[in-house]
Amino acid sequence: MTSPSEQRLHSLMLPDDWRNMLATPINLVYNWGRMYSLWPLAFGLACCAIEMMATFAARFDLGRFGAELMRPSPRQADLLIVSGTVTKKMVPQIVRLYNQMPEPKYVIAMGACASAGGPFKEGYHVVSGIDKFLPVDVYIPGCPPTPQALLEGFLRLQDKIKRQSIFEVPWYRKQERNEAIPIPLHGPDLIDPRRISAIKEELARQRAAYAQGTSPGEQGSAVPSDKAFKLPVWDITPLPFAQALAERLNQAIGDGCVIPEKDILVVQPARLVEVATYLRDAPDLDYDLLSNVTGADYLGRDPRFEVVYHLYSTSRGGGPLVLKARVPEENPELPSLVPVWPSANFQEREVWDLFGIRFTGHPNLKRILLWEGFHGHPLRKDWREPYYEEPVKPFGSRWPAGHYQSAEARTPYNDNVSYPLQYPPGADWDPELWSPPEEELPVVDYRDLPNLHISTDKIVVNVGPQHPSTHGVFRMVLTLDGETVLHVEPVVGYLHRNHEKIGERNSWLMNMPYTDRLDYLNAMGNNLGYAIAVERLMGIEVPERAEYLRVIMAELNRVFSHMSFAGFLTNELGSAFTPFLYAFKERELILDLFEEASGSRMMCNYMRFGGVANDVSEDWLERARYLARERLPRKLDEFEQLLNENEILISRLKGVSILTPEKAVAYGITGPILRSTGLPYDIRRVEPYSIYDRFDFKVPLLHNGDLYDRYLIRILEAREAVKILNQALDQIPKGPIQTGKKAWQTRVPAGEVYARIEHPKGELGYYLVSNGSSNPWRYRVRSPSFINLTALSEMCRGLKVADVIVVLGALDIVLGEVDR
Amino acid sequence: MFGIGIAKGLAVTFKHFIETYLDDLKYFPRRYSELALESRQSVRGRGLFTVQYPEQERPVPEAFRFLPFLVYDIQVEGDTTRHVIRCTACGICARVCPPQCIWIVRAQDEKGKPLTAPAEFHIDIDVCMNCGFCAEFCPFDSIVMDHEYKLADYERQVGHIYDLQKLLRPAGYYARIRPTQYAARQAAKREGAAKEG
């Protein structure tokens, strides 16, 4: 058999032995050239991207293989490393990037998620592997693969290239060249244009079955009667303080507006705004921080939905005041609290998106995590995703008769998609005739800027979701007047991995490794917050040694998080990697300790309810002590010497994007950014958890509230973290690391809890509701990155485009936590 | 004076540059030896930091977990050697697995009575999140987290669904990669047996 290219070579009238003689040296040179000049696209999706960056950093240095140049533009790149979870919202962009890359081009699927959906496969918003759309050359298993595993995958790709022949490769042949891959569309669910006829056939089949009455048809028609849907009930006798506050509110606003239940206040929906305003404005109450807003679905109860508000007072400190408003199943609606606390903005949109509760008076009530037009509201208990199996885990199909069957094989479309028969409601949906609606551009109320002299036309500029300085898959729609920013519309959800839906199906313990993947730079902190929340519900104590280990891990994580923050921020200022590389060097050493203690570098899964997973050795402690006493202080000095007085840094950061403490609190900003405005609000002090009350540390405070203070406060906090580390490492006692026996099944008494910790990014809270069974009824993560983003537009108004990138960098968001 | 701050910063990078070469001198002439690798990668290391993978490899700690494997013991009786799979198909690993990537078929005798052995065992390694719960809660010490991470390949549809044959490793391998854990669990087992006996 001779291939067409060989025939062409024959037509050159070369004798056979000549051709053979030529082919080998040509291929040798040709393959050698491609092998050692693979240029990856600067493109990262999720947790795996951090390990990919570590592979590019000092310790593993992918540059040694000729892949030094990470190209920000697909036109210049020939390797697409799909590093992380591919979501339905993101996949059109990935396909577009791939189409824009010139041949020859290669794809590496890095990690379980990119290969086949990974641990998030069952989620309704996750694509089951990038190979559904792109041809993949090398798959790297692991969650995440270690940098050495990625290097191994890279070597496999080089092997593959080595075996190719210039006479066989498709990209020099007109008739065999790949056509551009059609861009997936966003309809009621993700639509692959290549499969439209198959979708149509299946829809016709379903309609016929529905007409004959053999199929349940639409979503949500079947109410589960399973024991997993036992409604949570607990004692609601009001506590004295709630009783007193309710009486006061009833007197001030009108009888019956508030009913106390245990330690919460149930507010009449019509009076919500009045009650909220009163609580905020009464000088002795002063609930100025609306920290958490979320919904809950009590399917089978009337009224069915509940919206929960957690209020704090930054002046008084202490625990939360919980408000609840209940709304019925039919036309659920509540007044919006955005006029009272702007921090409710994104969170109310999220409740609308995931629960379908409308907020009247909300300035911009659109879907936030999913796209406009997605069918259904996924966090409703009766909404089922395509891969739905059972209401709760463990699934009966796994054991004792666990015959393997892939999730795809169970669905009619052979993929993680489902389409309603009618869309929009009332009309049969035809995927062929349907075209996605055009995206609305943001409407801005025009404000005259005082320093604006020339009037120009407004233009809209899109940044992201694939952009080297958006910290992952984050998109901003900027409205500009010339070079001046009028409005920034953050668009999130490109990494929405359905943590909460999966979390409500998981057992309590199963959620622990999932929390690792929220803020994937701070796995230990995420573990700690979740463990504390569940322990509070269970009412169990943690042994001394375990408490110390938890603090040590969390603070090591904080040091690293703040150092890499400085690295990322200066990258965005154009410092060409030096601080980033220095930060990642220290990160490697910290991760070595984590890996030894927990077994994994990034996804530690270290905490357990009532303790920690593994003990550490004396040698481990000795190394940690050296790190905390000698190395980290020295490195932080170096960092300050490197950056603090740098004139370029100062001129870019000082006096830019000033935030007042009042505004920061109103927008729900917590963590270092709040403290850089001059408000000493650190949860480790105002509502101590774990054993933080034993350590001697300061809460660093700066007063300008500009970008420079946001940078500096992180370095100061890293120093305080080192101080805590030193004390904890000196005082750590010997003893057990776990209360009671480690159990794989945990029953948690019925009740609800909101527990929060001081995360490097701000207030990380877990709101959990238990119905007394082995799975949470409601599992909600209040992530600091997401809520800090609410103020992005406010912080950017009036700045230049280049500053927007820096403002975003100084917010220090992690997309795993923003989109959850 | 304008520029002092930048100069100070550059002094730091220059220091890093020099340190690498000073460190090289220390290990002259074998700057990539095992000894040099160990000390340069430790918390006390300075200067050059790169692991020359694949010529050098950074060893993984004992606790390191990647994918699970199943343990079998080799029993020698006279001339015959038997491979005894430790797994009893109790199903705890499948039930504790957070992404539910373990599938077990329990073996049955002719009458349909369940036996304490797996007939089929599948792990979808593209769903596995490497959390290690299966190994942590296995009462028979029969599922253990492997250290092998060099698993990149060109295909996933068949190769990434591990079956019983692909999952099995001898107990000796387990003892080699996780000596402390192996010894501790063996001791606990003996103790338990002694109590019962």
Side-chain angles (χ1 to χ4, degrees):
Chain A
M1 263 300 276
T2 47
S3 68
S5 65
E6 278 175 294
Q7 283 166 5
R8 217 177 310 142
L9 212 67
H10 272 295
S11 68
L12 294 174
M13 303 297 285
L14 285 170
D16 269 7
D17 46 339
W18 266 86
R19 187 166 55 87
N20 291 342
M21 267 169 66
L22 269 179
T24 319
I26 291 178
N27 279 335
L28 217 64
V29 175
Y30 177 65
N31 291 343
W32 181 82
R34 281 182 306 140
M35 256 168 80
Y36 295 114
S37 64
L38 284 168
W39 287 3
L41 181 66
F43 164 74
L45 289 176
C47 343
C48 282
I50 306 295
E51 283 297 62
M52 183 175 76
M53 277 147 71
T55 315
F56 279 88
R59 183 180 262 178
F60 299 102
D61 191 14
L62 195 57
R64 294 177 296 126
F65 301 95
E68 189 80 67
L69 297 155
M70 267 208 142
R71 306 314 298 167
S73 158
R75 299 269 181 221
Q76 303 165 341
D78 58 1
L79 172 60
L80 184 70
I81 303 179
V82 184
S83 51
T85 315
V86 181
T87 63
K88 292 180 181 172
K89 203 167 173 177
M90 188 61 197
V91 74
Q93 278 80 345
I94 301 175
V95 173
R96 215 168 257 145
L97 285 170
Y98 179 79
N99 284 343
Q100 287 173 0
M101 283 162 63
E103 293 276 14
K105 52 188 169 186
Y106 312 96
V107 178
I108 291 182
M110 179 187 182
C113 289
S115 299
F120 298 101
K121 186 168 186 167
E122 63 192 280
Y124 49 85
H125 192 235
V126 175
V127 174
S128 306
I130 190 64
D131 56 358
K132 300 250 187 238
F133 293 95
L134 307 183
V136 175
D137 292 289
V138 175
Y139 296 91
I140 309 174
C143 186
T146 59
Q148 295 193 57
L150 175 59
L151 288 177
E152 192 61 30
F154 197 81
L155 294 174
R156 288 287 80 72
L157 180 63
Q158 290 189 331
D159 284 348
K160 187 173 186 172
I161 295 172
K162 208 190 286 177
R163 289 199 301 269
Q164 287 176 331
S165 161
I166 193 166
F167 304 112
E168 305 287 331
V169 289
W171 46 85
Y172 294 127
R173 302 176 188 187
K174 253 193 189 123
Q175 62 273 42
E176 281 178 48
R177 213 179 306 169
N178 289 337
E179 289 301 309
I181 293 164
I183 311 289
L185 306 171
H186 286 146
D189 206 331
L190 191 73
I191 304 165
D192 186 344
R194 295 170 297 188
R195 301 191 53 214
I196 279 185
S197 60
I199 294 170
K200 248 184 113 166
E201 267 168 44
E202 174 58 29
L203 278 173
R205 196 193 62 75
Q206 282 184 14
R207 282 203 189 96
Y210 185 55
Q212 285 171 2
T214 52
S215 139
E218 295 296 299
Q219 286 275 0
S221 48
V223 176
S225 58
D226 203 275
K227 67 174 187 316
F229 280 89
K230 194 184 79 178
L231 278 169
V233 260
W234 54 82
D235 181 26
I236 53 165
T237 327
L239 298 180
F241 94 89
Q243 183 79 50
L245 190 57
E247 272 164 27
R248 184 174 156 189
L249 283 165
N250 282 335
Q251 242 163 32
I253 294 165
D255 234 8
C257 70
V258 164
I259 302 159
E261 268 185 19
K262 207 176 172 190
D263 55 348
I264 61 163
L265 302 179
V266 180
V267 187
Q268 219 184 52
R271 314 301 283 273
L272 188 62
V273 176
E274 283 170 81
V275 171
T277 317
Y278 185 86
L279 289 171
R280 184 192 65 182
D281 292 341
D284 61 323
L285 296 172
D286 196 23
Y287 284 108
D288 50 354
L289 176 66
L290 172 65
S291 156
N292 181 40
V293 181
T294 190
D297 177 6
Y298 294 90
L299 182 63
R301 195 180 77 182
D302 191 40
R304 174 173 164 185
F305 295 109
E306 209 169 75
V307 175
V308 190
Y309 304 87
H310 289 91
L311 311 179
Y312 289 91
S313 165
T314 55
S315 56
R316 291 185 298 117
L321 177 69
V322 191
L323 299 185
K324 277 187 180 180
R326 297 197 170 128
V327 279
E329 191 171 346
E330 284 295 308
N331 196 15
E333 216 167 37
L334 268 181
S336 167
L337 286 189
V338 176
V340 188
W341 291 290
S343 61
N345 190 334
F346 282 16
Q347 306 194 65
E348 284 183 353
R349 277 176 70 186
E350 191 190 342
V351 174
W352 157 241
D353 191 356
L354 301 180
F355 287 95
I357 299 170
R358 287 195 161 277
F359 291 89
T360 44
H362 190 286
N364 183 22
L365 193 68
K366 283 194 302 192
R367 284 192 183 253
I368 187 161
L369 295 175
L370 297 158
W371 62 88
E372 211 51 44
F374 186 83
H375 69 117
H377 300 283
L379 274 185
R380 290 188 173 191
K381 290 273 176 194
D382 53 359
W383 192 91
R384 291 175 174 190
E385 54 267 75
Y387 287 162
Y388 175 86
E389 218 175 319
E390 275 177 49
V392 294
K393 289 176 185 173
F395 299 143
S397 66
R398 301 298 194 269
W399 178 86
H403 298 282
Y404 178 77
Q405 187 190 30
S406 72
E408 284 94 331
R410 286 189 286 104
T411 62
Y413 299 101
N414 239 318
D415 201 356
N416 189 11
V417 287
S418 65
Y419 304 100
L421 301 182
Q422 297 196 325
Y423 176 82
D428 277 4
W429 182 61
D430 185 348
E432 221 161 11
L433 301 177
W434 177 88
S435 67
E438 279 200 10
E439 198 182 342
E440 259 179 67
L441 289 176
V443 181
V444 190
D445 52 333
Y446 188 80
R447 283 165 204 238
D448 282 326
L449 287 160
N451 53 354
L452 204 71
H453 303 300
I454 319 158
S455 58
T456 47
D457 273 350
K458 276 179 283 174
I459 53 166
V460 175
V461 172
N462 182 60
V463 182
Q466 150 57 17
H467 189 278
S469 47
T470 51
H471 284 232
V473 282
F474 174 72
R475 182 177 155 207
M476 292 182 283
V477 182
L478 312 177
T479 310
L480 306 177
D481 187 331
E483 181 78 355
T484 309
V485 177
L486 296 179
H487 182 79
V488 180
E489 170 91 11
V491 184
V492 300
Y494 293 96
L495 193 54
H496 178 44
R497 299 192 280 194
N498 333 120
H499 267 277
E500 293 180 12
K501 185 82 179 175
I502 296 175
E504 284 166 25
R505 179 163 304 140
N506 281 348
S507 72
W508 293 97
L509 183 67
M510 286 178 190
N511 276 334
M512 189 59 84
Y514 276 97
T515 63
D516 289 334
R517 287 148 179 88
L518 285 167
D519 174 356
Y520 34 73
L521 290 169
N522 284 293
M524 289 289 189
N526 302 337
N527 279 189
L528 179 61
Y530 181 59
I532 287 176
V534 177
E535 279 156 11
R536 229 171 257 175
L537 266 180
M538 293 169 79
I540 52 172
E541 293 289 312
V542 182
E544 279 289 283
R545 188 174 173 86
E547 287 278 24
Y548 275 93
L549 282 172
R550 284 177 173 196
V551 169
I552 290 167
M553 299 298 180
E555 293 306 313
L556 275 172
N557 232 182
R558 193 186 310 276
V559 176
F560 152 62
S561 176
H562 284 340
M563 280 180 92
S564 63
F565 155 81
F568 292 142
L569 177 74
T570 45
N571 256 8
E572 265 129 42
L573 287 164
S575 81
F577 281 91
T578 305
F580 163 83
L581 288 175
Y582 290 177
F584 263 56
K585 217 164 143 179
E586 302 318 303
R587 172 183 186 257
E588 287 293 334
L589 296 172
I590 291 172
L591 291 199
D592 281 353
L593 292 176
F594 286 176
E595 192 179 26
E596 215 179 306
S598 73
S600 181
R601 287 157 52 88
M602 272 178 80
M603 305 309 174
C604 303
N605 186 16
Y606 186 62
M607 319 260 170
R608 298 286 179 270
F609 310 133
V612 294
N614 303 312
D615 206 348
V616 298
S617 65
E618 204 41 54
D619 176 52
W620 189 98
L621 285 173
E622 210 39 63
R623 265 177 298 149
R625 274 183 205 126
Y626 181 82
L627 205 59
R629 214 164 283 153
E630 308 271 338
R631 185 162 177 128
L632 288 176
R634 199 170 67 222
K635 291 290 161 185
L636 285 167
D637 285 345
E638 225 177 71
F639 245 76
E640 293 210 50
Q641 199 193 336
L642 183 67
L643 297 173
N644 275 11
E645 292 170 40
N646 187 309
E647 282 84 0
I648 301 170
L649 199 79
I650 288 172
S651 67
R652 286 297 302 277
L653 300 183
K654 270 232 163 111
V656 181
S657 175
I658 291 171
L659 198 66
T660 60
E662 295 77 30
K663 223 175 219 173
V665 172
Y667 277 99
I669 286 182
T670 45
I673 306 176
L674 182 60
R675 294 189 285 276
S676 78
T677 64
L679 211 140
Y681 194 73
D682 186 317
I683 299 166
R684 290 172 294 179
R685 273 284 152 76
V686 295
E687 200 191 356
Y689 54 92
S690 192
I691 48 166
Y692 277 102
D693 46 354
R694 295 184 199 171
F695 300 114
D696 167 37
F697 67 99
K698 283 203 285 276
V699 176
L701 206 60
L702 295 171
H703 295 275
N704 298 326
D706 60 359
L707 289 174
Y708 188 78
D709 278 6
R710 276 173 228 163
Y711 152 72
L712 194 61
I713 194 128
R714 259 103 176 188
I715 302 290
L716 298 177
E717 276 187 18
R719 285 189 185 279
E720 293 304 314
V722 170
K723 222 154 114 191
I724 298 174
L725 266 177
N726 271 318
Q727 296 169 45
L729 284 162
D730 285 341
Q731 295 166 13
I732 183 166
K734 289 214 166 14
I737 53 159
Q738 173 80 38
T739 307
K741 218 174 154 261
K742 227 191 255 180
W744 65 277
Q745 275 170 315
T746 316
R747 273 187 195 280
V748 172
E752 64 171 5
V753 73
Y754 179 73
R756 54 181 196 154
I757 64 162
E758 184 65 38
H759 201 55
K761 267 105 192 162
E763 172 184 333
L764 173 71
Y766 288 88
Y767 172 65
L768 306 172
V769 180
S770 169
N771 64 354
S773 75
S774 52
N775 309 71
W777 177 268
R778 177 84 183 98
Y779 167 78
R780 146 87 177 168
V781 185
R782 187 264 186 218
S783 66
S785 299
F786 178 60
I787 289 151
N788 288 356
L789 271 178
T790 318
L792 183 67
S793 187
E794 191 60 38
M795 286 163 148
C796 292
R797 187 165 295 147
L799 299 181
K800 300 279 184 273
V801 182
D803 293 327
V804 172
I805 300 292
V806 189
V807 173
L808 182 71
L811 265 178
D812 195 18
I813 55 166
V814 170
L815 266 299
E817 194 183 58
V818 172
D819 297 340
R820 283 151 292 141
Chain B
M1 199 184 82
F2 190 82
I4 293 285
I6 293 176
K8 271 188 181 170
L10 286 174
V12 174
T13 50
F14 189 66
K15 196 176 121 236
H16 276 249
F17 177 73
I18 295 292
E19 267 175 359
T20 297
Y21 292 99
L22 288 179
D23 219 34
D24 271 356
L25 284 180
K26 212 158 79 190
Y27 299 103
F28 188 82
R30 300 194 58 224
R31 61 189 189 132
Y32 292 130
S33 65
E34 283 299 308
L35 185 77
L37 175 72
E38 202 188 309
S39 88
R40 284 183 146 171
Q41 293 294 318
S42 74
V43 285
R44 286 163 206 273
R46 307 171 81 154
L48 181 81
F49 192 59
T50 308
V51 183
Q52 301 292 332
Y53 189 90
E55 286 81 15
Q56 278 179 332
E57 258 175 59
R58 188 166 159 64
V60 292
E62 184 181 335
F64 180 71
R65 49 184 153 82
F66 211 66
L67 293 167
F69 67 86
L70 290 172
V71 184
Y72 66 85
D73 292 301
I74 301 171
Q75 285 184 355
V76 184
E77 286 165 13
D79 299 339
T80 53
T81 52
R82 279 199 315 142
H83 290 180
V84 183
I85 300 172
R86 285 189 182 180
C87 177
T88 63
C90 72
I92 287 182
C93 54
R95 282 179 285 167
V96 76
C97 173
Q100 297 281 290
C101 68
I102 303 179
W103 305 70
I104 306 171
V105 179
R106 194 164 52 188
Q108 293 177 332
D109 62 7
E110 303 88 63
K111 289 176 203 148
K113 221 181 106 210
L115 300 171
T116 55
E120 284 176 39
F121 204 110
H122 284 106
I123 294 182
D124 189 338
I125 66 161
D126 279 338
V127 175
C128 175
M129 67 200 297
N130 311 158
C131 69
F133 275 159
C134 50
E136 192 174 324
F137 294 103
C138 178
F140 304 98
D141 204 19
S142 69
I143 189 163
V144 178
M145 298 305 278
D146 206 346
H147 282 183
E148 185 56 52
Y149 56 83
K150 293 182 211 164
L151 300 163
D153 54 21
Y154 304 120
E155 188 276 341
R156 79 167 171 91
Q157 295 298 347
V158 183
H160 283 195
I161 318 294
Y162 282 18
D163 61 6
L164 195 55
Q165 281 318 306
K166 209 165 174 184
L167 284 166
L168 284 174
R169 300 266 189 294
Y173 174 75
Y174 172 25
R176 196 169 71 243
I177 64 165
R178 291 173 176 269
T180 340
Q181 185 192 334
Y182 181 79
R185 297 269 178 101
Q186 281 311 92
K189 230 187 221 176
R190 272 197 298 274
E191 209 172 277
K195 247 184 217 163
E196 269 179 32

